[in-house]
Amino acid sequence: MKRLSTFAITAAFIFILTGCGVTEADVIASSEDFTVDESTVEAVQEALQDNSESGSSYSSMGTPLITSTTTSMEKDDPTFYYNQKAVSVLDSADQVLEKLGTPDPQSDPNLADHYYSFDSNQIGMQTVDIEKKETPVSITVSEKGVVTSMNIGVGTPKEDVVNAYGDNYETFKSEYGIGYKYDFDKFVLFFTFDNDEVIEYHYTCKEAEEAITKSK
């Protein structure tokens, strides 16, 4: 029998088991100084080697590294993710403002009755009053790292947009070239491309647009 220190064997098992959903606290709470035979030591060493060869990403304490934001992965979801907050063009204006924070000064007061910009105009929202309730008409995003429900954002290649949202789109002209328009039940989603990468995306709320049309 070969005797190992509590720290050595616990650290080894933490490194392996955290990849299987077992937490570091669980391992430490259940560990005591114990003896293991040569075959157990060899099994631990082999498992560590397998993790290394497979390219698994762990921090020095054995915790998996989180590299992306969790999204809904539903293409008919009008949600985008800003600072880990889910924001939708179908939210009320107050809900959007609460999630996006303090807006920039109005960049163009003549653009609409209500227009808000955020992060130096990297995100913009136009609203309209419907039955005395301020409602988003459109939200435009040109800020990197802010992704749609399908994990699409500024810098995403055009082919990845089609892989995520499908080829049932209409095209439109922009100052950069041809863009793609996806029409859903309650909203429309536009992607603008430059050099075959997303440079901006834009949601519009159908109900709010209809309200504007009827008021004219």
Side-chain angles (χ1 to χ4, degrees):
M1 301 290 284
K2 184 173 182 178
R3 189 174 186 82
L4 297 179
S5 70
T6 302
F7 176 81
I9 195 68
T10 300
F13 277 114
I14 287 172
F15 189 84
I16 298 168
L17 295 177
T18 48
C20 304
V22 180
T23 68
E24 179 178 335
D26 292 336
V27 179
I28 293 175
S30 62
S31 64
E32 296 178 355
D33 198 23
F34 55 89
T35 59
V36 294
D37 57 26
E38 292 287 346
S39 62
T40 301
V41 175
E42 291 173 0
V44 171
Q45 291 172 338
E46 290 175 2
L48 292 172
Q49 181 65 27
D50 289 343
N51 273 331
S52 176
E53 292 177 351
S54 66
S56 300
S57 296
Y58 295 93
S59 71
S60 60
M61 291 302 293
T63 304
L65 297 175
I66 299 173
T67 58
S68 63
T69 301
T70 301
T71 59
S72 74
M73 300 309 291
E74 296 289 340
K75 63 183 180 181
D76 60 350
D77 180 356
T79 300
F80 65 92
Y81 294 83
Y82 174 83
N83 288 340
Q84 299 183 340
K85 295 178 182 178
V87 186
S88 171
V89 73
L90 303 185
D91 289 338
S92 69
D94 286 343
Q95 289 173 321
V96 174
L97 290 168
E98 181 181 356
K99 294 171 184 177
L100 295 183
T102 304
D104 304 329
Q106 278 190 317
S107 57
D108 186 351
N110 299 317
L111 182 62
D113 290 337
H114 307 287
Y115 181 79
Y116 304 88
S117 66
F118 306 85
D119 290 356
S120 299
N121 210 29
Q122 295 297 294
I123 300 176
M125 176 176 68
Q126 179 187 349
T127 68
V128 65
D129 291 328
I130 300 178
E131 297 179 354
K132 298 182 179 181
K133 182 179 181 180
E134 191 177 358
T135 304
V137 178
S138 65
I139 299 179
T140 302
V141 178
S142 57
E143 183 168 359
K144 284 190 174 182
V146 180
V147 298
T148 72
S149 63
M150 295 295 290
N151 205 31
I152 302 296
V154 173
T156 298
K158 183 185 292 185
E159 62 180 351
D160 288 352
V161 173
V162 176
N163 288 337
Y165 285 94
D167 56 10
N168 186 24
Y169 56 80
E170 297 178 28
T171 59
F172 65 92
K173 290 184 179 180
S174 74
E175 60 181 304
Y176 300 99
I178 300 299
Y180 291 170
K181 171 186 174 183
Y182 290 91
D183 197 332
F184 297 98
D185 288 342
K186 295 183 178 181
F187 70 97
V188 181
L189 175 57
F190 301 81
F191 290 100
T192 303
F193 302 101
D194 185 23
N195 293 325
D196 289 332
E197 291 185 348
V198 175
I199 191 172
E200 176 183 281
Y201 60 91
H202 176 88
Y203 295 92
T204 61
C205 171
K206 288 185 175 181
E207 181 184 9
E209 284 194 320
E210 289 172 3
I212 292 175
T213 302
K214 289 178 181 179
S215 67
K216 292 181 178 179

